[in-house]
Amino acid sequence: MTTPDYKSQLAAALAVKFQRRGFLKAAGAAIGLASAGVMGLGSASAMAQPGPRKGGTLTLGWLDAIDTLDPHFTMSGGSIKVLNNVFNGILKVAYDGKQVSFAPDLAQSWDMIDEKTHVFKLRPGVKFHNGDLCNAEAVKWSLARVADPAVKSPHAWKFADLDGIDVVDELTLRLRFKQPFAFLPVALTGSTGRAGTIVSKRAVEQHGQAFGRNPVGTGPFKFISWKENDSIELVRNPDYFEAGQPYLDKVVIRLLKEPSAGVAALMSGQVDGLSVCPFQFIPQLRQRADLQVFGQVEGNYSFLGMNNKRAPFDDLALRQAVSFAIDRNVIVQQSYFGEAIPAYTCISPPMTDFYDPNIAKSGRGQFFDLEKAKALRAKSRHQGELNPVYIVTDGFTGSGGMGTRNAQLIAPMLAQIGIKPKIELVDRAVWAQRRNAGDFDLYDEAWIADLDPDETITPEWSTGKPWNFVGYSNPAFDKAAAAAGRTMDVAQRRKLYIEAEDVLMADAPLAVLAHMKVFKILSSKVKGFEYIPADLLNLHTVWRA
């Protein structure tokens, strides 16, 4: 597809006059996510419907993990789906059925003075749920909280080049960066971006570390309660700034660990929808006339991570052998039930300005080649049978298909090259602790809801970044990835990302597996849901028939 005219698009959306076409054209690449075939009733928002009705309670089954409701600290897609209904960002993600874009949220306008200076005019009269005004000072404080090294937000990398935040007047904010930042539109969203999600200063100071259990935002719903292992409750914000929204009086989120129980609750009418759905249930649910199935391949990738900091995967040849020993087609069919495509690199098809649709024939990236895997294994300095520790979290963990299924498929593949992993099944909290501490040899994970290649590879694989759990480091990768994030020209960004990915895939700190479809299931009684292919579950416009 062609690069969208980002200047015209955002000028219309944000009602401002932009002054630097180069940045805007490049930033447009960050939103080049074309429709990849929405399943079921994914385009239902475009269909004729009766007008929305106020009132009622929506009960949803939440199958993916929620770690915290502090947006500046969450690492969970399950949390983001809740947060997007409690908070707002400076910008928000929008979708018209074909193209993802960025629209105003707390910002009323966005003026680019130059490629490094951005001025935002905020909506007047917006209040936090505790009654405090959301003005320029409040927004500055929230952004500065993320950027402050002492706070240790895992999203601080998004503001690493932030040079200053100036309050121009009560509703005007100026952000100054040390260099151009192509990822900025994503960073400033109140959903997947998280860094640009605006939190209440008074509530953070009041609750301290417990703010994640007592979130206060400006969104369409107010947080009421979180009952451990039971439910989260939200109620309508009567002062929400979007006219007429929300329509629902209350949202009850039932925290479910067992997918089959969630599907049973949905089919029996005990819940009105599921936040995510395991792949094996999709064919059955598609047959139900009383259900709506939304989903498509989104910006994501699953992978097998190898600990580069200790033996045996401190050895390049061994890691490369693993990367060529895995048959991705088997993973796609048996782990993801055909609801995915093989991954050759980290960048996924929805990122149309950066993804190569002919990559399978290009010779780039990682792919199954058992003979090559055996030859590389023979070159490894670690000979004989190896028994690395492969940590796996129990139960269903979300859209990436982690858990025992991938491990059970990967283990016999690695056995063909003399690697017989010791699979250790642990609960999610222990798994996360061990992953974060580097206490593993192998682990599998999925990075999801990516809107730009910068978030796809930079924080996960750059030297010393907080999400680089395998301890990978290569200056050539770091240089190319960083340069791509500062480059506004789309063609040049593409070249730099190819360079970075080629280094990464050759070094093989990970073995990429698949790009997955991500599903949301709703009762046919749920109306007005607007699907966004970024693993979001926006309830702003939802109502009950």
mmCIF file of all heavy atoms in Angstrom, residues 79-124:
data_model
loop_
_atom_site.group_PDB
_atom_site.id
_atom_site.type_symbol
_atom_site.label_atom_id
_atom_site.label_comp_id
_atom_site.label_asym_id
_atom_site.label_seq_id
_atom_site.Cartn_x
_atom_site.Cartn_y
_atom_site.Cartn_z
ATOM 1 N N SER A 79 -4.272 -5.689 31.435
ATOM 2 C CA SER A 79 -4.414 -4.425 32.165
ATOM 3 C C SER A 79 -4.735 -3.277 31.227
ATOM 4 O O SER A 79 -5.588 -2.433 31.524
ATOM 5 C CB SER A 79 -3.119 -4.115 32.930
ATOM 6 O OG SER A 79 -2.883 -5.056 33.947
ATOM 7 N N ILE A 80 -4.055 -3.224 30.088
ATOM 8 C CA ILE A 80 -4.262 -2.131 29.143
ATOM 9 C C ILE A 80 -5.714 -2.050 28.710
ATOM 10 O O ILE A 80 -6.284 -0.957 28.581
ATOM 11 C CB ILE A 80 -3.335 -2.289 27.926
ATOM 12 C CG1 ILE A 80 -1.876 -2.075 28.343
ATOM 13 C CG2 ILE A 80 -3.694 -1.296 26.821
ATOM 14 C CD1 ILE A 80 -0.881 -2.416 27.260
ATOM 15 N N LYS A 81 -6.342 -3.214 28.507
ATOM 16 C CA LYS A 81 -7.744 -3.214 28.072
ATOM 17 C C LYS A 81 -8.653 -2.591 29.125
ATOM 18 O O LYS A 81 -9.671 -1.992 28.795
ATOM 19 C CB LYS A 81 -8.167 -4.642 27.736
ATOM 20 C CG LYS A 81 -7.603 -5.135 26.418
ATOM 21 C CD LYS A 81 -8.301 -6.394 25.946
ATOM 22 C CE LYS A 81 -7.751 -7.643 26.570
ATOM 23 N NZ LYS A 81 -6.468 -8.064 25.975
ATOM 24 N N VAL A 82 -8.299 -2.751 30.408
ATOM 25 C CA VAL A 82 -9.066 -2.082 31.472
ATOM 26 C C VAL A 82 -8.719 -0.600 31.510
ATOM 27 O O VAL A 82 -9.603 0.267 31.544
ATOM 28 C CB VAL A 82 -8.776 -2.723 32.844
ATOM 29 C CG1 VAL A 82 -9.558 -1.999 33.941
ATOM 30 C CG2 VAL A 82 -9.125 -4.204 32.837
ATOM 31 N N LEU A 83 -7.431 -0.300 31.486
ATOM 32 C CA LEU A 83 -6.952 1.074 31.628
ATOM 33 C C LEU A 83 -7.514 1.997 30.557
ATOM 34 O O LEU A 83 -7.776 3.175 30.815
ATOM 35 C CB LEU A 83 -5.422 1.098 31.573
ATOM 36 C CG LEU A 83 -4.705 0.395 32.730
ATOM 37 C CD1 LEU A 83 -3.232 0.210 32.411
ATOM 38 C CD2 LEU A 83 -4.889 1.174 34.020
ATOM 39 N N ASN A 84 -7.704 1.477 29.374
ATOM 40 C CA ASN A 84 -8.180 2.301 28.271
ATOM 41 C C ASN A 84 -9.610 2.784 28.488
ATOM 42 O O ASN A 84 -10.082 3.669 27.778
ATOM 43 C CB ASN A 84 -8.099 1.525 26.951
ATOM 44 C CG ASN A 84 -7.993 2.436 25.759
ATOM 45 O OD1 ASN A 84 -7.250 3.411 25.781
ATOM 46 N ND2 ASN A 84 -8.743 2.141 24.717
ATOM 47 N N ASN A 85 -10.276 2.228 29.485
ATOM 48 C CA ASN A 85 -11.629 2.669 29.819
ATOM 49 C C ASN A 85 -11.671 3.535 31.078
ATOM 50 O O ASN A 85 -12.710 4.101 31.404
ATOM 51 C CB ASN A 85 -12.532 1.445 30.003
ATOM 52 C CG ASN A 85 -12.715 0.671 28.717
ATOM 53 O OD1 ASN A 85 -13.382 1.124 27.804
ATOM 54 N ND2 ASN A 85 -12.099 -0.499 28.635
ATOM 55 N N VAL A 86 -10.530 3.641 31.761
ATOM 56 C CA VAL A 86 -10.443 4.424 33.001
ATOM 57 C C VAL A 86 -9.631 5.701 32.789
ATOM 58 O O VAL A 86 -9.890 6.716 33.445
ATOM 59 C CB VAL A 86 -9.811 3.567 34.124
ATOM 60 C CG1 VAL A 86 -9.619 4.382 35.407
ATOM 61 C CG2 VAL A 86 -10.677 2.344 34.400
ATOM 62 N N PHE A 87 -8.690 5.653 31.861
ATOM 63 C CA PHE A 87 -7.784 6.777 31.624
ATOM 64 C C PHE A 87 -7.922 7.291 30.198
ATOM 65 O O PHE A 87 -8.544 6.658 29.349
ATOM 66 C CB PHE A 87 -6.336 6.345 31.852
ATOM 67 C CG PHE A 87 -5.990 5.989 33.273
ATOM 68 C CD1 PHE A 87 -6.154 4.696 33.739
ATOM 69 C CD2 PHE A 87 -5.496 6.953 34.135
ATOM 70 C CE1 PHE A 87 -5.838 4.361 35.049
ATOM 71 C CE2 PHE A 87 -5.168 6.639 35.437
ATOM 72 C CZ PHE A 87 -5.336 5.348 35.902
ATOM 73 N N ASN A 88 -7.305 8.429 29.959
ATOM 74 C CA ASN A 88 -7.130 8.972 28.613
ATOM 75 C C ASN A 88 -5.666 9.285 28.395
ATOM 76 O O ASN A 88 -4.912 9.506 29.342
ATOM 77 C CB ASN A 88 -7.936 10.266 28.414
ATOM 78 C CG ASN A 88 -9.430 10.041 28.488
ATOM 79 O OD1 ASN A 88 -10.043 10.280 29.516
ATOM 80 N ND2 ASN A 88 -10.005 9.577 27.383
ATOM 81 N N GLY A 89 -5.279 9.339 27.135
ATOM 82 C CA GLY A 89 -3.949 9.791 26.773
ATOM 83 C C GLY A 89 -4.034 11.145 26.106
ATOM 84 O O GLY A 89 -5.118 11.694 25.903
ATOM 85 N N ILE A 90 -2.891 11.681 25.764
ATOM 86 C CA ILE A 90 -2.882 12.909 24.974
ATOM 87 C C ILE A 90 -3.519 12.629 23.617
ATOM 88 O O ILE A 90 -4.300 13.421 23.092
ATOM 89 C CB ILE A 90 -1.448 13.437 24.828
ATOM 90 C CG1 ILE A 90 -0.918 13.871 26.210
ATOM 91 C CG2 ILE A 90 -1.396 14.609 23.853
ATOM 92 C CD1 ILE A 90 0.521 14.319 26.188
ATOM 93 N N LEU A 91 -3.214 11.450 23.057
ATOM 94 C CA LEU A 91 -3.828 10.970 21.820
ATOM 95 C C LEU A 91 -4.472 9.625 22.092
ATOM 96 O O LEU A 91 -4.261 9.004 23.132
ATOM 97 C CB LEU A 91 -2.770 10.816 20.723
ATOM 98 C CG LEU A 91 -1.919 12.026 20.363
ATOM 99 C CD1 LEU A 91 -0.876 11.642 19.324
ATOM 100 C CD2 LEU A 91 -2.781 13.177 19.861
ATOM 101 N N LYS A 92 -5.277 9.152 21.127
ATOM 102 C CA LYS A 92 -5.850 7.821 21.218
ATOM 103 C C LYS A 92 -5.739 7.121 19.870
ATOM 104 O O LYS A 92 -5.551 7.754 18.829
ATOM 105 C CB LYS A 92 -7.317 7.887 21.650
ATOM 106 C CG LYS A 92 -8.244 8.576 20.669
ATOM 107 C CD LYS A 92 -9.662 8.627 21.216
ATOM 108 C CE LYS A 92 -10.604 9.372 20.262
ATOM 109 N NZ LYS A 92 -11.983 9.454 20.816
ATOM 110 N N VAL A 93 -5.830 5.803 19.908
ATOM 111 C CA VAL A 93 -5.773 5.000 18.693
ATOM 112 C C VAL A 93 -7.187 4.903 18.109
ATOM 113 O O VAL A 93 -8.148 4.635 18.829
ATOM 114 C CB VAL A 93 -5.235 3.594 18.990
ATOM 115 C CG1 VAL A 93 -5.106 2.782 17.707
ATOM 116 C CG2 VAL A 93 -3.892 3.676 19.698
ATOM 117 N N ALA A 94 -7.295 5.117 16.812
ATOM 118 C CA ALA A 94 -8.573 5.007 16.125
ATOM 119 C C ALA A 94 -8.445 4.027 14.965
ATOM 120 O O ALA A 94 -7.338 3.733 14.499
ATOM 121 C CB ALA A 94 -9.015 6.380 15.614
ATOM 122 N N TYR A 95 -9.580 3.521 14.478
ATOM 123 C CA TYR A 95 -9.572 2.538 13.398
ATOM 124 C C TYR A 95 -10.862 2.681 12.604
ATOM 125 O O TYR A 95 -11.954 2.718 13.178
ATOM 126 C CB TYR A 95 -9.466 1.138 14.001
ATOM 127 C CG TYR A 95 -9.359 0.010 13.006
ATOM 128 C CD1 TYR A 95 -8.338 -0.020 12.065
ATOM 129 C CD2 TYR A 95 -10.264 -1.044 13.032
ATOM 130 C CE1 TYR A 95 -8.226 -1.077 11.168
ATOM 131 C CE2 TYR A 95 -10.161 -2.107 12.154
ATOM 132 C CZ TYR A 95 -9.149 -2.120 11.211
ATOM 133 O OH TYR A 95 -9.037 -3.169 10.336
ATOM 134 N N ASP A 96 -10.726 2.777 11.290
ATOM 135 C CA ASP A 96 -11.902 2.946 10.436
ATOM 136 C C ASP A 96 -12.279 1.672 9.689
ATOM 137 O O ASP A 96 -13.076 1.702 8.756
ATOM 138 C CB ASP A 96 -11.675 4.077 9.428
ATOM 139 C CG ASP A 96 -10.543 3.779 8.446
ATOM 140 O OD1 ASP A 96 -9.938 2.679 8.533
ATOM 141 O OD2 ASP A 96 -10.262 4.647 7.595
ATOM 142 N N GLY A 97 -11.734 0.547 10.110
ATOM 143 C CA GLY A 97 -11.990 -0.714 9.440
ATOM 144 C C GLY A 97 -10.918 -1.076 8.445
ATOM 145 O O GLY A 97 -10.818 -2.227 8.023
ATOM 146 N N LYS A 98 -10.089 -0.112 8.065
ATOM 147 C CA LYS A 98 -9.009 -0.365 7.118
ATOM 148 C C LYS A 98 -7.664 0.137 7.622
ATOM 149 O O LYS A 98 -6.632 -0.461 7.361
ATOM 150 C CB LYS A 98 -9.321 0.305 5.771
ATOM 151 C CG LYS A 98 -10.531 -0.268 5.052
ATOM 152 C CD LYS A 98 -10.737 0.421 3.709
ATOM 153 C CE LYS A 98 -11.936 -0.152 2.972
ATOM 154 N NZ LYS A 98 -12.152 0.528 1.657
ATOM 155 N N GLN A 99 -7.684 1.254 8.344
ATOM 156 C CA GLN A 99 -6.444 1.916 8.708
ATOM 157 C C GLN A 99 -6.464 2.357 10.165
ATOM 158 O O GLN A 99 -7.449 2.925 10.633
ATOM 159 C CB GLN A 99 -6.238 3.150 7.820
ATOM 160 C CG GLN A 99 -4.854 3.748 7.886
ATOM 161 C CD GLN A 99 -3.886 3.028 6.976
ATOM 162 O OE1 GLN A 99 -4.276 2.198 6.153
ATOM 163 N NE2 GLN A 99 -2.615 3.329 7.109
ATOM 164 N N VAL A 100 -5.383 2.058 10.875
ATOM 165 C CA VAL A 100 -5.203 2.587 12.223
ATOM 166 C C VAL A 100 -4.657 4.003 12.109
ATOM 167 O O VAL A 100 -3.813 4.297 11.264
ATOM 168 C CB VAL A 100 -4.248 1.709 13.038
ATOM 169 C CG1 VAL A 100 -3.811 2.405 14.324
ATOM 170 C CG2 VAL A 100 -4.915 0.391 13.385
ATOM 171 N N SER A 101 -5.156 4.900 12.947
ATOM 172 C CA SER A 101 -4.667 6.275 12.947
ATOM 173 C C SER A 101 -4.660 6.785 14.381
ATOM 174 O O SER A 101 -5.048 6.078 15.311
ATOM 175 C CB SER A 101 -5.557 7.168 12.067
ATOM 176 O OG SER A 101 -6.888 7.177 12.556
ATOM 177 N N PHE A 102 -4.227 8.014 14.551
ATOM 178 C CA PHE A 102 -4.214 8.640 15.869
ATOM 179 C C PHE A 102 -5.139 9.841 15.853
ATOM 180 O O PHE A 102 -5.136 10.631 14.916
ATOM 181 C CB PHE A 102 -2.787 9.030 16.263
ATOM 182 C CG PHE A 102 -1.876 7.862 16.330
ATOM 183 C CD1 PHE A 102 -1.011 7.571 15.284
ATOM 184 C CD2 PHE A 102 -1.906 7.014 17.410
ATOM 185 C CE1 PHE A 102 -0.191 6.453 15.329
ATOM 186 C CE2 PHE A 102 -1.085 5.905 17.472
ATOM 187 C CZ PHE A 102 -0.237 5.616 16.429
ATOM 188 N N ALA A 103 -5.933 9.954 16.905
ATOM 189 C CA ALA A 103 -6.939 11.002 16.989
ATOM 190 C C ALA A 103 -6.754 11.764 18.294
ATOM 191 O O ALA A 103 -6.115 11.277 19.228
ATOM 192 C CB ALA A 103 -8.335 10.389 16.917
ATOM 193 N N PRO A 104 -7.311 12.967 18.393
ATOM 194 C CA PRO A 104 -7.190 13.727 19.646
ATOM 195 C C PRO A 104 -7.921 13.041 20.776
ATOM 196 O O PRO A 104 -8.963 12.424 20.579
ATOM 197 C CB PRO A 104 -7.847 15.069 19.297
ATOM 198 C CG PRO A 104 -8.749 14.775 18.153
ATOM 199 C CD PRO A 104 -8.090 13.688 17.374
ATOM 200 N N ASP A 105 -7.372 13.139 21.951
ATOM 201 C CA ASP A 105 -8.030 12.619 23.143
ATOM 202 C C ASP A 105 -8.056 13.740 24.170
ATOM 203 O O ASP A 105 -8.922 14.597 24.124
ATOM 204 C CB ASP A 105 -7.310 11.379 23.650
ATOM 205 C CG ASP A 105 -8.208 10.498 24.509
ATOM 206 O OD1 ASP A 105 -9.401 10.799 24.616
ATOM 207 O OD2 ASP A 105 -7.726 9.498 25.063
ATOM 208 N N LEU A 106 -7.081 13.815 25.066
ATOM 209 C CA LEU A 106 -7.003 14.982 25.940
ATOM 210 C C LEU A 106 -6.472 16.198 25.182
ATOM 211 O O LEU A 106 -6.751 17.336 25.548
ATOM 212 C CB LEU A 106 -6.115 14.681 27.145
ATOM 213 C CG LEU A 106 -6.681 13.664 28.141
ATOM 214 C CD1 LEU A 106 -5.669 13.368 29.226
ATOM 215 C CD2 LEU A 106 -7.998 14.151 28.738
ATOM 216 N N ALA A 107 -5.712 15.942 24.132
ATOM 217 C CA ALA A 107 -5.243 17.046 23.292
ATOM 218 C C ALA A 107 -6.354 17.476 22.355
ATOM 219 O O ALA A 107 -7.026 16.648 21.750
ATOM 220 C CB ALA A 107 -4.028 16.612 22.483
ATOM 221 N N GLN A 108 -6.538 18.764 22.243
ATOM 222 C CA GLN A 108 -7.493 19.319 21.281
ATOM 223 C C GLN A 108 -6.785 19.648 19.978
ATOM 224 O O GLN A 108 -7.374 19.595 18.902
ATOM 225 C CB GLN A 108 -8.145 20.568 21.872
ATOM 226 C CG GLN A 108 -9.415 21.007 21.177
ATOM 227 C CD GLN A 108 -10.102 22.113 21.968
ATOM 228 O OE1 GLN A 108 -9.514 23.158 22.227
ATOM 229 N NE2 GLN A 108 -11.331 21.873 22.379
ATOM 230 N N SER A 109 -5.490 19.957 20.066
ATOM 231 C CA SER A 109 -4.698 20.237 18.874
ATOM 232 C C SER A 109 -3.239 19.899 19.142
ATOM 233 O O SER A 109 -2.800 19.821 20.290
ATOM 234 C CB SER A 109 -4.831 21.705 18.456
ATOM 235 O OG SER A 109 -4.248 22.566 19.422
ATOM 236 N N TRP A 110 -2.513 19.700 18.053
ATOM 237 C CA TRP A 110 -1.097 19.337 18.119
ATOM 238 C C TRP A 110 -0.374 20.153 17.049
ATOM 239 O O TRP A 110 -0.621 19.986 15.870
ATOM 240 C CB TRP A 110 -0.942 17.842 17.883
ATOM 241 C CG TRP A 110 0.469 17.335 17.793
ATOM 242 C CD1 TRP A 110 1.621 18.000 18.060
ATOM 243 C CD2 TRP A 110 0.854 16.011 17.399
ATOM 244 N NE1 TRP A 110 2.704 17.183 17.867
ATOM 245 C CE2 TRP A 110 2.269 15.956 17.456
ATOM 246 C CE3 TRP A 110 0.149 14.877 17.010
ATOM 247 C CZ2 TRP A 110 2.976 14.804 17.132
ATOM 248 C CZ3 TRP A 110 0.859 13.742 16.692
ATOM 249 C CH2 TRP A 110 2.253 13.694 16.757
ATOM 250 N N ASP A 111 0.511 21.040 17.481
ATOM 251 C CA ASP A 111 1.240 21.899 16.552
ATOM 252 C C ASP A 111 2.721 21.573 16.633
ATOM 253 O O ASP A 111 3.316 21.595 17.707
ATOM 254 C CB ASP A 111 1.002 23.377 16.910
ATOM 255 C CG ASP A 111 1.550 24.314 15.850
ATOM 256 O OD1 ASP A 111 1.872 23.839 14.746
ATOM 257 O OD2 ASP A 111 1.657 25.514 16.127
ATOM 258 N N MET A 112 3.329 21.250 15.504
ATOM 259 C CA MET A 112 4.748 20.952 15.466
ATOM 260 C C MET A 112 5.528 22.201 15.071
ATOM 261 O O MET A 112 5.429 22.669 13.933
ATOM 262 C CB MET A 112 5.021 19.824 14.483
ATOM 263 C CG MET A 112 4.434 18.503 14.921
ATOM 264 S SD MET A 112 4.926 17.195 13.785
ATOM 265 C CE MET A 112 6.708 17.332 13.914
ATOM 266 N N ILE A 113 6.272 22.731 16.004
ATOM 267 C CA ILE A 113 7.081 23.913 15.721
ATOM 268 C C ILE A 113 8.245 23.531 14.816
ATOM 269 O O ILE A 113 8.601 24.247 13.880
ATOM 270 C CB ILE A 113 7.590 24.542 17.031
ATOM 271 C CG1 ILE A 113 6.406 24.806 17.972
ATOM 272 C CG2 ILE A 113 8.356 25.834 16.738
ATOM 273 C CD1 ILE A 113 5.296 25.649 17.376
ATOM 274 N N ASP A 114 8.861 22.401 15.127
ATOM 275 C CA ASP A 114 9.885 21.793 14.279
ATOM 276 C C ASP A 114 9.888 20.316 14.614
ATOM 277 O O ASP A 114 9.035 19.835 15.363
ATOM 278 C CB ASP A 114 11.260 22.447 14.492
ATOM 279 C CG ASP A 114 11.697 22.437 15.950
ATOM 280 O OD1 ASP A 114 11.606 21.365 16.596
ATOM 281 O OD2 ASP A 114 12.133 23.498 16.444
ATOM 282 N N GLU A 115 10.859 19.559 14.088
ATOM 283 C CA GLU A 115 10.845 18.111 14.264
ATOM 284 C C GLU A 115 11.105 17.676 15.699
ATOM 285 O O GLU A 115 10.895 16.516 16.050
ATOM 286 C CB GLU A 115 11.876 17.465 13.333
ATOM 287 C CG GLU A 115 11.490 17.556 11.865
ATOM 288 C CD GLU A 115 12.485 16.843 10.973
ATOM 289 O OE1 GLU A 115 13.616 16.547 11.438
ATOM 290 O OE2 GLU A 115 12.143 16.580 9.809
ATOM 291 N N LYS A 116 11.547 18.589 16.537
ATOM 292 C CA LYS A 116 11.856 18.238 17.917
ATOM 293 C C LYS A 116 10.995 18.977 18.942
ATOM 294 O O LYS A 116 11.157 18.752 20.143
ATOM 295 C CB LYS A 116 13.339 18.526 18.199
ATOM 296 C CG LYS A 116 14.300 17.687 17.367
ATOM 297 C CD LYS A 116 15.748 17.913 17.747
ATOM 298 C CE LYS A 116 16.238 19.299 17.290
ATOM 299 N NZ LYS A 116 17.689 19.469 17.562
ATOM 300 N N THR A 117 10.095 19.827 18.473
ATOM 301 C CA THR A 117 9.288 20.645 19.382
ATOM 302 C C THR A 117 7.810 20.485 19.054
ATOM 303 O O THR A 117 7.381 20.721 17.919
ATOM 304 C CB THR A 117 9.675 22.128 19.280
ATOM 305 O OG1 THR A 117 11.092 22.253 19.419
ATOM 306 C CG2 THR A 117 8.975 22.936 20.353
ATOM 307 N N HIS A 118 7.030 20.088 20.077
ATOM 308 C CA HIS A 118 5.614 19.787 19.883
ATOM 309 C C HIS A 118 4.795 20.574 20.902
ATOM 310 O O HIS A 118 5.090 20.548 22.096
ATOM 311 C CB HIS A 118 5.357 18.295 20.074
ATOM 312 C CG HIS A 118 6.259 17.424 19.247
ATOM 313 N ND1 HIS A 118 5.875 16.888 18.046
ATOM 314 C CD2 HIS A 118 7.548 17.009 19.450
ATOM 315 C CE1 HIS A 118 6.874 16.179 17.544
ATOM 316 N NE2 HIS A 118 7.899 16.247 18.378
ATOM 317 N N VAL A 119 3.772 21.253 20.420
ATOM 318 C CA VAL A 119 2.901 22.036 21.301
ATOM 319 C C VAL A 119 1.494 21.440 21.256
ATOM 320 O O VAL A 119 0.914 21.268 20.177
ATOM 321 C CB VAL A 119 2.870 23.518 20.882
ATOM 322 C CG1 VAL A 119 1.873 24.291 21.747
ATOM 323 C CG2 VAL A 119 4.269 24.125 21.002
ATOM 324 N N PHE A 120 0.960 21.130 22.444
ATOM 325 C CA PHE A 120 -0.360 20.538 22.556
ATOM 326 C C PHE A 120 -1.305 21.490 23.280
ATOM 327 O O PHE A 120 -0.973 22.019 24.343
ATOM 328 C CB PHE A 120 -0.299 19.217 23.324
ATOM 329 C CG PHE A 120 0.504 18.165 22.620
ATOM 330 C CD1 PHE A 120 1.868 18.033 22.858
ATOM 331 C CD2 PHE A 120 -0.091 17.307 21.714
ATOM 332 C CE1 PHE A 120 2.618 17.069 22.214
ATOM 333 C CE2 PHE A 120 0.645 16.340 21.053
ATOM 334 C CZ PHE A 120 1.999 16.216 21.306
ATOM 335 N N LYS A 121 -2.465 21.696 22.696
ATOM 336 C CA LYS A 121 -3.542 22.455 23.334
ATOM 337 C C LYS A 121 -4.531 21.452 23.894
ATOM 338 O O LYS A 121 -5.042 20.599 23.156
ATOM 339 C CB LYS A 121 -4.227 23.370 22.309
ATOM 340 C CG LYS A 121 -5.162 24.389 22.933
ATOM 341 C CD LYS A 121 -4.383 25.537 23.556
ATOM 342 C CE LYS A 121 -5.325 26.648 24.011
ATOM 343 N NZ LYS A 121 -4.588 27.779 24.616
ATOM 344 N N LEU A 122 -4.814 21.523 25.181
ATOM 345 C CA LEU A 122 -5.658 20.538 25.844
ATOM 346 C C LEU A 122 -7.122 20.938 25.839
ATOM 347 O O LEU A 122 -7.468 22.117 25.735
ATOM 348 C CB LEU A 122 -5.193 20.347 27.284
ATOM 349 C CG LEU A 122 -3.729 19.937 27.480
ATOM 350 C CD1 LEU A 122 -3.399 19.877 28.965
ATOM 351 C CD2 LEU A 122 -3.444 18.599 26.810
ATOM 352 N N ARG A 123 -7.981 19.934 25.965
ATOM 353 C CA ARG A 123 -9.417 20.190 26.089
ATOM 354 C C ARG A 123 -9.683 20.963 27.377
ATOM 355 O O ARG A 123 -9.137 20.637 28.438
ATOM 356 C CB ARG A 123 -10.193 18.880 26.162
ATOM 357 C CG ARG A 123 -10.185 18.047 24.894
ATOM 358 C CD ARG A 123 -10.942 16.751 25.165
ATOM 359 N NE ARG A 123 -10.906 15.847 24.030
ATOM 360 C CZ ARG A 123 -11.834 15.773 23.086
ATOM 361 N NH1 ARG A 123 -12.895 16.583 23.165
ATOM 362 N NH2 ARG A 123 -11.739 14.919 22.094
ATOM 363 N N PRO A 124 -10.551 21.949 27.346
ATOM 364 C CA PRO A 124 -10.881 22.675 28.580
ATOM 365 C C PRO A 124 -11.895 21.906 29.421
ATOM 366 O O PRO A 124 -12.716 21.152 28.898
ATOM 367 C CB PRO A 124 -11.484 23.983 28.055
ATOM 368 C CG PRO A 124 -12.088 23.615 26.724
ATOM 369 C CD PRO A 124 -11.188 22.553 26.157
#
